[in-house]
Amino acid sequence: MAYENSGRTIAIGDIHGCSAALRAVLEASDPGPQDMVVTLGDYIDRGPDSAGVIEQLIRLSTQCQLVSILGNHDEMLVDIVRGHRYLFADWLSFGGEATLASYGCTLPDEIPAPHLAFLKDCCQWYETETHIFLHAGYDARRKLTRQSPEALRWRPLRGTLPGPHRSGKIAIVGHTSQKSGEIFDLGYLKCIDTWVYGDGWLTALDVHSGRVWQADKNGRLRSGG
């Protein structure tokens, strides 16, 4: 699963309905046709404008190479729409109420079909020659094709941390919110979920140059970003 791209590779952490933050880091990083943007999942829930986030990402896919990875919040919504109604109450408690409010609806089936299609089409993981991109975690001993859904979308970076992946590639992940607002960097693993829906930032990282752009949920860029 790899694109050939001659430009930058920019990873963006968990957005969680914070459309103003997404708009700010995209304007600052200004990805073009030669660039690849890899979004790490959790586009919806908790923040005020999940609808605006998905709309921006659909538009972004026409401007650059966009790779969108499925997050656990996105997966819950997709599963409900596919018939797993027992997840509905849990999803609401995870921030789904904010998502429905952003669409002005009361049921997931009422979300516009193009937005649901965007989430359904998200990939499980992505890799380039130098990096692997995942929503949550991984089993260091297993190939990407043999990772469990639990590891990919639910496993937090707490307690026992994974070692370097067997591929030798650097892992770029989200899911485990860094309340410090700083990237959690182990060298072989970088977590760029920096808690934008709380008091932190949305992080965009050029994985090769190391340049970082960050914005808060109101769309204010971090000084030096």
Side-chain angles (χ1 to χ4, degrees):
M1 271 184 89
Y3 277 113
E4 294 292 332
N5 74 303
S6 56
R8 300 170 296 168
T9 300
I10 299 170
I12 298 179
D14 302 36
I15 304 167
H16 276 303
C18 295
S19 63
L22 177 61
R23 186 176 302 108
V25 298
L26 289 176
E27 288 177 354
S29 58
D30 193 23
Q34 301 304 312
D35 298 321
M36 180 192 304
V37 174
V38 184
T39 51
L40 299 183
D42 281 2
Y43 310 109
I44 62 170
D45 298 351
R46 294 181 170 158
D49 190 20
S50 294
V53 167
I54 302 299
E55 192 63 35
Q56 283 190 67
L57 292 175
I58 292 172
R59 187 165 57 249
L60 181 64
S61 69
T62 69
Q63 301 167 2
C64 68
Q65 300 177 57
L66 177 66
V67 178
S68 297
I69 293 170
L70 186 69
N72 60 306
H73 285 258
D74 317 311
E75 181 181 45
M76 289 183 75
L77 174 57
V78 169
D79 283 348
I80 292 165
V81 172
R82 286 176 172 161
H84 299 284
R85 304 297 180 183
Y86 64 89
L87 293 171
F88 185 59
D90 285 342
W91 177 62
L92 291 179
S93 70
F94 269 50
E97 287 186 352
T99 296
L100 292 176
S102 77
Y103 285 100
C105 64
T106 57
L107 294 172
D109 293 349
E110 299 169 348
I111 293 172
H115 287 213
L116 292 175
F118 173 86
L119 295 176
K120 290 176 181 177
D121 289 342
C122 288
C123 59
Q124 307 290 305
W125 47 265
Y126 185 74
E127 70 175 320
T128 64
E129 292 183 357
T130 55
H131 291 77
I132 59 175
F133 299 86
L134 317 153
H135 174 63
Y138 60 89
D139 184 327
R141 301 163 297 175
R142 293 189 174 190
K143 297 178 181 180
L144 291 177
T145 54
R146 297 187 63 84
Q147 298 289 326
S148 70
E150 182 276 330
L152 290 174
R153 281 182 290 286
W154 291 92
R155 186 174 297 173
L157 297 176
R158 300 189 184 96
T160 302
L161 297 173
H165 187 257
R166 58 177 288 168
S167 66
K169 299 177 180 182
I170 296 171
I172 309 294
V173 306
H175 185 63
T176 306
S177 57
Q178 306 300 307
K179 301 300 194 295
S180 66
E182 305 296 335
I183 294 172
F184 179 59
D185 189 348
L186 295 176
Y188 65 87
L189 179 153
K190 302 176 193 292
C191 178
I192 62 171
D193 177 359
T194 43
W195 201 39
V196 63
Y197 71 88
D199 294 324
W201 310 92
L202 178 64
T203 292
L205 168 69
D206 182 329
V207 302
H208 294 296
S209 73
R211 182 167 183 184
V212 173
W213 301 268
Q214 291 184 310
D216 68 14
K217 59 190 171 188
N218 297 309
R220 291 187 292 254
L221 286 171
R222 191 172 188 177
S223 177

